[in-house]
Amino acid sequence: MSVMFSSSPPAAAEPGASEALIAFLDLASAIDAVRSAKACGFEMLRMQAGEHLLDIGCGPGTDALALAKQAALLGGRVTGVDLNPAMIAAANRRAAGLRLPLVFLQADIHALPFGDAHFDAVRIDRVLHFLSDPRKALMEAMRVTVPGGRIVVTEPDWSTLEVSGGLSDLTATVLRAGISRDGAACIGARLDRLLMECGLQLMAHRQTQLSLGDFRSAVVLFGLEGVARTAVQAGALGPRDAARWLRSLQQAGERDELNVTLKGAIASGLRLAG
Ligand SMILES: C[S@@+](CC[C@H](N)C(=O)[O-])C[C@H]1O[C@@H](n2cnc3c(N)ncnc32)[C@H](O)[C@@H]1O
């Protein structure tokens, strides 16, 4: 099975970044392919009656709200956490008045403010690829999951980013120098291994793929301006060539010849007893 999802948000430290990040996440959540990837992840949670779910890195709460609607029908509840207080404020605004079994808290995945075995299922959607030690973060998510509970993780593999339709020589240069292959950037390629190394029993694994042909959406969702900037900072090309590259992608989009693709994975694991 192949499903799709998106990734690269603006860096949270930039001025006005929280609003831009929320707009980015709303744009991503509205794309059919992203919605079907999220639906796939929801199914992999295998929510049952009366269960308490945790959504880590919940952003402005779109997914936690959808899960809380399902949980409400089953007598369950949902907690969403995010490191960024602006996300929690937005999530609380969106949940206000809906009377759903849902709470949002600001928290860091590395130090969750919950006791051991607090949740029946935990979801982590595109958070680990930002972290320097995703294994440590996953272990903390496991700590708050009951033995027998499920953890579902969705992550991209940035080494798979492909861009076609623009100036191919410049594309090769920009992607070679502008995409990080270090740390957790390629974690989507080894998600199943990571879950198993942390002691989870692998339950399911799905490949994901997001392909976009619209220039503006591709620039925003794949952070192409940032990729070009990184390549310039690395000295791989000059700013003029970077601008020429982006223009060539825009023109390819106008000719319906642009295709930008990113692959990744969704994996679910069972926390074993003991
Ligand atoms: C790509 S966004 C995904 C948001 C949401 N899961 C969605 O699909 O709309 C990643 C989120 O992880 C949050 N995040 C990043 N580092 C985190 C950490 N250490 N602990 C908790 N959340 C974190 C960010 O603030 C951001 O809202």
Side-chain angles (χ1 to χ4, degrees):
M1 178 183 173
S2 175
V3 290
M4 303 185 175
F5 79 123
S6 77
S7 196
S8 177
E14 291 167 12
S18 292
E19 293 74 23
L21 184 49
I22 290 170
F24 160 82
L25 291 171
D26 286 345
L27 176 67
S29 296
I31 293 175
D32 280 350
V34 175
R35 290 154 73 111
S36 61
K38 286 177 183 283
C40 177
F42 289 1
E43 268 177 39
M44 286 161 76
L45 280 169
R46 298 191 185 175
M47 195 195 302
Q48 290 159 40
E51 287 194 334
H52 190 182
L53 265 61
L54 176 64
D55 185 14
I56 302 179
C58 63
T62 309
D63 300 336
L65 277 161
L67 286 167
K69 285 177 189 161
Q70 289 183 23
L73 301 173
L74 296 168
R77 60 205 167 105
V78 174
T79 296
V81 297
D82 201 286
L83 185 63
N84 185 342
M87 292 297 158
I88 297 303
N92 276 322
R93 277 196 302 276
R94 291 175 182 196
L98 295 179
R99 303 172 72 88
L100 287 169
L102 174 63
V103 292
F104 292 107
L105 295 173
Q106 194 229 331
D108 186 341
I109 189 173
H110 298 96
L112 294 167
F114 310 109
D116 295 352
H118 198 78
F119 296 95
D120 300 292
V122 173
R123 169 176 190 273
I124 307 171
D125 185 354
R126 295 167 302 147
V127 179
L128 299 184
H129 72 114
F130 294 117
L131 308 179
S132 58
D133 191 347
R135 187 188 169 107
K136 198 170 157 191
L138 186 54
M139 295 297 284
E140 175 64 353
M142 286 172 64
R143 180 187 68 75
V144 302
T145 307
V146 293
R150 291 87 58 204
I151 298 189
V152 177
V153 187
T154 301
E155 297 294 338
D157 172 2
W158 277 100
S159 70
T160 67
L161 186 69
E162 283 178 14
V163 179
S164 65
L167 292 167
S168 54
D169 286 357
L170 285 178
T171 296
T173 304
V174 170
L175 296 191
R176 203 168 38 244
I179 294 289
S180 168
R181 288 162 184 80
D182 300 336
C186 308
I187 194 168
R190 53 186 164 87
L191 212 45
D192 46 359
R193 199 153 25 103
L194 176 72
L195 265 59
M196 288 189 285
E197 281 169 6
C198 287
L200 291 163
Q201 181 184 314
L202 195 65
M203 294 164 65
H205 180 268
R206 307 267 185 268
Q207 295 296 321
T208 64
Q209 178 172 306
L210 173 64
S211 297
L212 294 177
D214 170 63
F215 173 72
R216 196 33 50 197
S217 305
V219 163
V220 173
L221 291 178
F222 297 118
L224 295 181
E225 283 166 351
V227 172
R229 204 163 39 241
T230 304
V232 170
Q233 282 160 0
L237 76 172
R240 281 183 178 203
D241 276 340
R244 200 156 64 87
W245 178 65
L246 287 166
R247 235 180 0 261
S248 79
L249 301 187
Q250 182 170 14
Q251 287 161 354
E254 286 160 8
R255 297 192 304 270
D256 280 337
E257 288 174 7
L258 179 67
N259 187 39
V260 188
T261 298
L262 181 69
K263 294 182 179 142
I266 310 177
S268 65
L270 192 70
R271 186 182 165 198
L272 302 172

Short mmCIF file of all heavy atoms in Angstrom, two decimals, residues 9 25 29 38 57-59 63 82-84 87 107-110 125-127 130-131, ligand 1:
data_model
loop_
_atom_site.label_atom_id
_atom_site.label_comp_id
_atom_site.label_asym_id
_atom_site.label_seq_id
_atom_site.Cartn_x
_atom_site.Cartn_y
_atom_site.Cartn_z
N PRO A 9 8.06 22.10 7.78
CA PRO A 9 7.50 23.39 8.21
C PRO A 9 8.57 24.46 8.31
O PRO A 9 9.75 24.15 8.37
CB PRO A 9 6.96 23.07 9.60
CG PRO A 9 7.84 21.99 10.10
CD PRO A 9 8.32 21.22 8.90
N LEU A 25 0.71 23.95 8.27
CA LEU A 25 0.09 22.70 8.69
C LEU A 25 -1.35 22.61 8.19
O LEU A 25 -1.81 21.52 7.81
CB LEU A 25 0.15 22.57 10.22
CG LEU A 25 1.57 22.37 10.78
CD1 LEU A 25 1.58 22.48 12.29
CD2 LEU A 25 2.14 21.03 10.33
N SER A 29 -2.73 19.75 5.77
CA SER A 29 -3.86 18.91 6.21
C SER A 29 -5.01 18.92 5.21
O SER A 29 -5.85 18.03 5.23
CB SER A 29 -4.39 19.38 7.57
OG SER A 29 -3.40 19.22 8.54
N LYS A 38 -3.02 10.40 6.95
CA LYS A 38 -3.41 10.55 8.35
C LYS A 38 -4.48 9.51 8.70
O LYS A 38 -4.44 8.92 9.79
CB LYS A 38 -3.92 11.97 8.60
CG LYS A 38 -2.78 13.00 8.64
CD LYS A 38 -3.31 14.40 8.81
CE LYS A 38 -2.22 15.45 8.79
NZ LYS A 38 -1.44 15.55 10.00
N GLY A 57 3.19 16.27 19.45
CA GLY A 57 3.48 17.18 18.33
C GLY A 57 2.19 17.45 17.59
O GLY A 57 2.14 17.38 16.36
N CYS A 58 1.14 17.80 18.36
CA CYS A 58 -0.23 17.88 17.80
C CYS A 58 -0.42 19.11 16.93
O CYS A 58 -1.47 19.23 16.27
CB CYS A 58 -1.25 17.86 18.93
SG CYS A 58 -1.12 19.29 20.04
N GLY A 59 0.52 20.06 16.92
CA GLY A 59 0.34 21.26 16.11
C GLY A 59 -0.92 22.00 16.56
O GLY A 59 -1.25 22.01 17.76
N ASP A 63 -5.60 16.95 13.98
CA ASP A 63 -5.73 15.49 14.08
C ASP A 63 -6.31 15.08 15.44
O ASP A 63 -7.11 14.15 15.52
CB ASP A 63 -4.37 14.82 13.88
CG ASP A 63 -3.79 15.15 12.51
OD1 ASP A 63 -4.58 15.47 11.60
OD2 ASP A 63 -2.57 15.09 12.36
N ASP A 82 2.26 19.65 22.50
CA ASP A 82 3.18 20.24 21.53
C ASP A 82 4.17 21.12 22.29
O ASP A 82 3.80 21.74 23.30
CB ASP A 82 2.43 21.07 20.48
CG ASP A 82 3.25 21.27 19.21
OD1 ASP A 82 4.21 22.08 19.24
OD2 ASP A 82 2.95 20.60 18.20
N LEU A 83 5.39 21.17 21.79
CA LEU A 83 6.42 21.99 22.42
C LEU A 83 6.12 23.48 22.28
O LEU A 83 6.45 24.28 23.15
CB LEU A 83 7.76 21.68 21.73
CG LEU A 83 9.01 22.33 22.29
CD1 LEU A 83 9.27 21.88 23.72
CD2 LEU A 83 10.22 21.99 21.42
N ASN A 84 5.48 23.85 21.19
CA ASN A 84 5.26 25.26 20.85
C ASN A 84 3.96 25.76 21.50
O ASN A 84 2.86 25.30 21.14
CB ASN A 84 5.19 25.36 19.32
CG ASN A 84 5.07 26.80 18.84
OD1 ASN A 84 4.71 27.69 19.60
ND2 ASN A 84 5.37 27.00 17.57
N MET A 87 1.04 26.70 19.25
CA MET A 87 0.24 25.59 18.72
C MET A 87 -0.85 25.21 19.70
O MET A 87 -2.00 24.96 19.32
CB MET A 87 1.14 24.35 18.49
CG MET A 87 2.12 24.53 17.38
SD MET A 87 1.28 24.77 15.81
CE MET A 87 2.58 25.56 14.92
N ALA A 107 4.08 20.56 26.07
CA ALA A 107 5.03 19.60 26.64
C ALA A 107 6.05 19.20 25.59
O ALA A 107 5.79 19.25 24.39
CB ALA A 107 4.29 18.35 27.13
N ASP A 108 7.21 18.80 26.10
CA ASP A 108 8.31 18.34 25.24
C ASP A 108 8.28 16.82 25.20
O ASP A 108 8.18 16.17 26.25
CB ASP A 108 9.63 18.84 25.85
CG ASP A 108 10.84 18.54 24.98
OD1 ASP A 108 10.75 17.67 24.09
OD2 ASP A 108 11.87 19.20 25.20
N ILE A 109 8.39 16.25 24.03
CA ILE A 109 8.38 14.79 23.90
C ILE A 109 9.50 14.14 24.73
O ILE A 109 9.37 12.99 25.13
CB ILE A 109 8.50 14.37 22.41
CG1 ILE A 109 8.27 12.87 22.24
CG2 ILE A 109 9.84 14.77 21.81
CD1 ILE A 109 8.18 12.39 20.81
N HIS A 110 10.54 14.90 25.03
CA HIS A 110 11.65 14.31 25.79
C HIS A 110 11.34 14.19 27.28
O HIS A 110 12.06 13.49 28.00
CB HIS A 110 12.92 15.17 25.64
CG HIS A 110 13.41 15.26 24.23
ND1 HIS A 110 13.08 16.31 23.41
CD2 HIS A 110 14.17 14.42 23.51
CE1 HIS A 110 13.64 16.12 22.23
NE2 HIS A 110 14.31 14.99 22.25
N ASP A 125 3.40 12.28 14.84
CA ASP A 125 3.28 12.57 13.40
C ASP A 125 4.28 13.65 13.00
O ASP A 125 4.09 14.83 13.29
CB ASP A 125 1.84 13.01 13.10
CG ASP A 125 1.60 13.22 11.60
OD1 ASP A 125 2.56 13.14 10.80
OD2 ASP A 125 0.44 13.48 11.23
N ARG A 126 5.38 13.25 12.38
CA ARG A 126 6.40 14.15 11.84
C ARG A 126 7.03 15.06 12.90
O ARG A 126 7.11 16.26 12.73
CB ARG A 126 5.81 14.97 10.69
CG ARG A 126 5.43 14.09 9.52
CD ARG A 126 4.59 14.82 8.53
NE ARG A 126 3.38 15.31 9.17
CZ ARG A 126 2.77 16.43 8.84
NH1 ARG A 126 3.27 17.18 7.90
NH2 ARG A 126 1.67 16.80 9.45
N VAL A 127 7.45 14.44 13.98
CA VAL A 127 8.15 15.14 15.05
C VAL A 127 9.59 14.64 15.17
O VAL A 127 10.53 15.43 15.30
CB VAL A 127 7.42 14.94 16.41
CG1 VAL A 127 8.16 15.66 17.53
CG2 VAL A 127 5.98 15.44 16.32
N PHE A 130 12.84 16.10 13.47
CA PHE A 130 13.44 17.36 13.92
C PHE A 130 14.46 17.15 15.04
O PHE A 130 15.16 18.09 15.40
CB PHE A 130 12.36 18.29 14.50
CG PHE A 130 11.36 18.77 13.49
CD1 PHE A 130 10.02 18.45 13.61
CD2 PHE A 130 11.75 19.56 12.42
CE1 PHE A 130 9.09 18.90 12.69
CE2 PHE A 130 10.83 20.01 11.49
CZ PHE A 130 9.50 19.67 11.63
N LEU A 131 14.49 15.98 15.63
CA LEU A 131 15.19 15.80 16.90
C LEU A 131 16.59 15.23 16.73
O LEU A 131 16.85 14.46 15.81
CB LEU A 131 14.37 14.86 17.81
CG LEU A 131 12.89 15.26 17.99
CD1 LEU A 131 12.19 14.24 18.89
CD2 LEU A 131 12.76 16.66 18.55
C1 LIG B 1 5.43 18.86 11.18
S1 LIG B 1 4.57 19.46 12.60
C2 LIG B 1 3.26 18.23 12.67
C3 LIG B 1 2.08 18.70 13.46
C4 LIG B 1 0.88 17.76 13.47
N1 LIG B 1 1.29 16.44 13.91
C5 LIG B 1 0.20 17.71 12.13
O1 LIG B 1 0.34 16.70 11.44
O2 LIG B 1 -0.47 18.67 11.74
C6 LIG B 1 5.59 19.00 13.95
C7 LIG B 1 5.09 19.49 15.32
O3 LIG B 1 5.97 18.94 16.30
C8 LIG B 1 6.16 19.92 17.30
N2 LIG B 1 7.41 19.60 18.02
C9 LIG B 1 8.69 19.79 17.58
N3 LIG B 1 9.56 19.39 18.52
C10 LIG B 1 8.82 18.91 19.57
C11 LIG B 1 9.14 18.37 20.84
N4 LIG B 1 10.43 18.25 21.24
N5 LIG B 1 8.15 17.98 21.66
C12 LIG B 1 6.85 18.14 21.27
N6 LIG B 1 6.47 18.66 20.08
C13 LIG B 1 7.44 19.04 19.24
C14 LIG B 1 6.21 21.25 16.53
O4 LIG B 1 5.96 22.35 17.37
C15 LIG B 1 5.14 21.00 15.47
O5 LIG B 1 3.88 21.48 15.89
#
